[in-house]
Amino acid sequence: DYAEEKEIQSSNLETAMSVIGDRRSREQKAKQEREKELAKVTIKKEDLELIMNEMEISRAAAERSLREHMGDVVEALITLTN
């Protein structure tokens, strides 16, 4: 198994870096949009406290789970137990 060493052309390298940069920027934008959507979800304080106490998790983790399940405490608890 022998592979020849080839010189990488700078234009190919620049193109590859550009593609990677574009992909990262799209992923970051999508993540920011997802976070904005989750922030719009209203959650009840009682549900948040229930999850925190029953699952013994942090407030941030409980809030995130509730927001991901659109405030549905049952679905959030099911996901956390699996």
Side-chain angles (χ1 to χ4, degrees), residues 38 41-52 57 59-77 80:
L38 288 178
V41 175
T42 57
I43 57 174
K44 295 179 184 175
K45 183 178 179 182
E46 300 84 28
D47 293 344
L48 182 64
E49 290 175 359
L50 172 75
I51 291 176
M52 287 171 45
I57 59 175
R59 180 177 206 86
E63 187 174 331
R64 176 73 180 198
S65 181
L66 269 173
R67 289 188 188 280
E68 286 177 348
H69 294 91
M70 302 303 179
D72 187 349
V73 69
V74 175
E75 288 297 320
L77 284 168
L80 290 168

Side-chain angles (χ1 to χ4, degrees), residues 11-27:
S11 63
N12 289 344
L13 184 59
E14 289 172 5
T15 302
M17 294 298 288
S18 174
V19 168
I20 291 170
D22 290 345
R23 183 179 298 158
R24 282 186 181 168
S25 122
R26 282 194 308 266
E27 288 173 357

Side-chain angles (χ1 to χ4, degrees), residues 1-7:
D1 294 326
Y2 175 75
E4 288 185 33
E5 291 184 26
K6 295 183 179 179
E7 189 174 317

